[in-house]
Amino acid sequence: MTSSSRGGDRSQPRDLAMAPDEMLDLARRAAELLVERDGNLAAGDAWDGEFGEGLAPLLMEEPPEGGRPAQEVLERAAREILPYAARLDHPRSFGFIPTSPTWPGVVADFMAAGYTINGATWLTASGPSQVELAVIDWFRRWLGYPEGAVGLFTSGGSAASVDAFVAAREAAGHPERATVYMSDQTHIAVRRAAMVIGVRPECTRIVPSDQDFRLDMEALRRAVAEDRAAGFHPIVVSANAGAGSTGAIDPLEAMADYCESEGIWLHADAAYGGFAAVTEEGRGLLRGIERADSIGLDPHKWFFQPYEAGCLLVRDGSKLEDAFAIRPDILQDTIWGANHPNFTDRGLQISRSFRALKVWMSVQVFGMAAFRRAISKGVELAARAQEHVLSSPLLEHLSPGSLGVVCFRVNPADAEVDETTLERVNRTVLARVFWEDPALMSSTVLKGTFALRLCILNHTTAWDDVRETLETIERFGREALAAEAAPQ
Ligand SMILES: *Cc1c(COP(=O)(O)O)cnc(C)c1O
């Protein structure tokens, strides 16, 4: 066999390469395993896991010096590793924030990896950069953001918050004694962003929320005024556009008015709830978000994409690049015309995977109407779950239903049960659902009260999944209350 005319002898086997038929066999088997998993998903549990003592003996081994057959390695991963995890895409996955990626999105990640795309610069990835611009522009329009806003894909909402906070800090002139503001419902990712940009922990002001878990505007005004009087420099206020615990949306319009008048950067953390904006109802609920200086989004949550896919949009695009663009010698060849952005100039990553492709491919395949319906379905199912809770004599509703989240607890209407007992009963219910029921549910604490929490986002979920889970909770609740009442 002769080697190709370019680049030397290719007839020798290469250490880290596979023959084409082996490549195909491996990829085909991987696809088969995933499709089988998808078919079996609903019949199994939403969670499986194992203690370290069980896993370590299987996996803490020396790497083999010689290789093993690829199919065998793949089967082992599929048998011994991947099943021991939450199945976040299960129809009864209601814990934390679930996600159910679409298949074109999964395949897009495979394609992006296979093409070895590095989305750092236009020179290394012009096609991918153009798609990233296109998808970011979809997001911009869905949120009602003005032209001139720019953005980038990130690993998730955490990285988006960090990038936003850097831009805010630089826009404020990187002052000494900087302070930042967020409600007691704000995600830890945002607190961490403040930490990462060098705000001292005691300068992160946690503003109380009202009885609907929305930031208290009066408290914000007071905190900022006191800080200014004491010589601090407020640089950013972070608003929840869907808080993780309850789905609560902060008073975005009022916060935008206030931040505008005070000249403080307003960041909207919409990692959880932002994509509700593609529906008419969601757009109404999120009104005011378009006035924020920056918005963090997570397509890997309510836009049905595989991890990792986060996104940051900044209203005045130049503020993002002013904060991040450094043009080192090693990248001197990457400046390709004034109108070609280099995404590395917009955030902390240099080497970047091509995350926009998954959104682009899945939207091309299914169309926006399907995405809109899938997002609306989550809101509708959560509203039905809330009705069920409100009409149940055994359940107490604990937060106004918002954006797919329902918080409640077992608390019988016809009996006085003290708080300590109630917490014990609800913890028992949570543990029994975890160990005995196919559903995965988690809990939160709302104004000091232990709450069960269902987050209903997956496009795989049907009403029966929600209803049966609620009925199981009621049954476990009755049993736990009976056990408490029984003489010791
Ligand atoms: C998930 C989430 C984050 C953090 O995003 P990651 O994608 O996990 O990094 C921040 N804020 C809210 C409201 C979230 O739901």
Side-chain angles (χ1 to χ4, degrees):
M1 220 159 68
T2 56
S3 60
S4 76
S5 57
R6 289 205 277 171
D9 182 2
R10 290 187 202 284
S11 63
Q12 294 303 314
R14 287 172 291 156
D15 265 344
L16 294 180
M18 277 184 163
D21 55 338
E22 277 184 297
M23 290 167 73
L24 283 172
D25 285 349
L26 185 62
R28 242 183 238 120
R29 183 66 193 130
E32 273 168 21
L33 285 166
L34 288 175
V35 173
E36 273 167 31
R37 173 186 179 277
D38 200 54
N40 296 333
L41 192 59
D45 290 352
W47 180 86
D48 201 353
E50 179 56 88
F51 293 101
E53 296 92 309
L55 292 172
L58 286 174
L59 298 170
M60 302 305 284
E61 60 190 6
E62 288 299 317
E65 192 51 34
R68 293 174 180 146
Q71 298 272 349
E72 218 178 280
V73 175
L74 179 70
E75 299 289 340
R76 191 176 166 209
R79 210 176 43 248
E80 291 181 14
I81 303 168
L82 292 162
Y84 297 106
R87 289 170 201 128
L88 294 167
D89 48 348
H90 189 283
R92 298 194 185 189
S93 170
F94 303 125
F96 316 105
I97 296 180
T99 187
S100 43
T102 57
W103 183 243
V106 173
V107 173
D109 269 356
F110 180 57
M111 294 298 282
Y115 272 81
T116 324
I117 301 302
N118 186 339
T121 67
W122 195 271
L123 182 109
T124 56
S126 51
S129 295
Q130 190 64 60
V131 166
E132 187 159 351
L133 288 174
V135 175
I136 295 283
D137 206 55
W138 293 349
F139 294 172
R140 177 186 71 72
R141 280 181 277 126
W142 297 345
L143 291 161
Y145 235 24
E147 280 184 49
V150 307
L152 81 164
F153 272 76
T154 63
S155 57
S158 306
S161 306
V162 170
D163 289 351
F165 274 42
V166 171
R169 183 193 64 195
E170 295 307 308
H174 204 143
E176 304 274 325
R177 308 193 75 205
T179 48
V180 302
Y181 305 80
M182 60 194 70
S183 95
D184 55 18
Q185 300 297 306
T186 299
H187 198 279
I188 55 151
V190 180
R191 285 172 75 161
R192 196 181 275 159
M195 206 168 87
V196 171
I197 68 158
V199 172
R200 303 180 63 85
E202 68 273 18
C203 291
T204 291
R205 310 291 187 219
I206 305 298
V207 180
S209 56
D210 64 16
Q211 74 278 9
D212 290 338
F213 307 96
R214 293 153 50 98
L215 175 133
D216 177 343
M217 276 308 297
E218 270 319 302
L220 174 66
R221 283 195 187 91
R222 264 197 317 275
V224 169
E226 280 168 19
D227 282 341
R228 286 211 200 276
F232 288 101
H233 196 134
I235 57 169
V236 53
V237 172
S238 185
N240 293 316
S245 256
T246 61
I249 301 168
D250 282 342
L252 299 173
E253 296 265 32
M255 290 172 83
D257 287 342
Y258 177 70
C259 288
E260 210 169 276
S261 70
E262 287 284 323
I264 307 175
W265 184 287
L266 178 63
H267 175 65
D269 178 15
Y272 171 66
F275 286 103
V278 302
T279 69
E280 211 174 322
E281 191 194 350
R283 189 74 196 83
L285 292 171
L286 293 170
R287 187 157 295 122
I289 196 170
E290 72 285 352
R291 295 175 58 200
D293 294 286
S294 55
I295 306 174
L297 293 170
D298 258 353
H300 64 206
K301 287 176 181 159
W302 218 356
F303 209 70
F304 314 113
Q305 300 304 321
Y307 298 109
E308 300 172 343
C311 178
L312 175 69
L313 296 174
V314 175
R315 164 181 263 281
D316 175 351
S318 63
K319 298 229 168 95
L320 192 55
E321 296 205 3
D322 287 351
F324 278 101
I326 303 171
R327 308 229 151 82
D329 297 344
I330 192 174
L331 292 180
Q332 67 189 358
D333 304 322
T334 61
I335 297 169
W336 182 349
N339 296 321
H340 294 129
N342 289 328
F343 278 95
T344 187
D345 289 344
R346 298 182 174 182
L348 56 86
Q349 266 188 296
I350 300 191
S351 298
R352 308 170 65 243
S353 63
F354 180 19
R355 300 180 177 105
L357 184 65
K358 41 193 156 184
V359 176
W360 186 85
M361 270 182 61
S362 51
V363 170
Q364 296 290 343
V365 170
F366 294 112
M368 277 309 291
F371 275 89
R372 249 179 240 117
R373 280 194 299 273
I375 290 168
S376 295
K377 190 171 108 180
V379 175
E380 281 160 29
L381 291 178
R384 282 181 80 173
Q386 170 165 316
E387 280 168 36
H388 181 109
V389 168
L390 287 169
S391 63
S392 165
L394 197 63
L395 301 179
E396 178 191 9
H397 188 238
L398 291 176
S399 73
S402 181
L403 299 177
V405 180
V406 196
C407 294
F408 59 99
R409 65 174 174 173
V410 172
N411 184 8
D414 60 358
E416 273 296 315
V417 186
D418 66 82
E419 284 299 319
T420 317
T421 308
L422 279 178
E423 178 161 341
R424 205 161 48 231
V425 162
N426 281 279
R427 284 186 186 278
T428 302
V429 170
L430 181 71
R432 285 193 66 189
V433 170
F434 187 79
W435 292 113
E436 299 171 37
D437 191 73
L440 177 64
M441 169 177 73
S442 57
S443 66
T444 187
V445 177
L446 300 175
K447 312 272 178 214
T449 300
F450 181 85
L452 303 175
R453 173 180 169 283
L454 296 179
C455 185
I456 307 168
L457 299 191
N458 285 352
H459 63 83
T460 51
T461 302
W463 169 242
D464 281 350
D465 293 310
V466 180
R467 181 183 51 77
E468 287 177 21
T469 302
L470 285 164
E471 287 168 3
T472 301
I473 291 166
E474 288 171 310
R475 178 162 59 84
F476 289 163
R478 270 192 297 274
E479 290 172 10
L481 286 164
E484 289 287 343
Q488 298 298 305

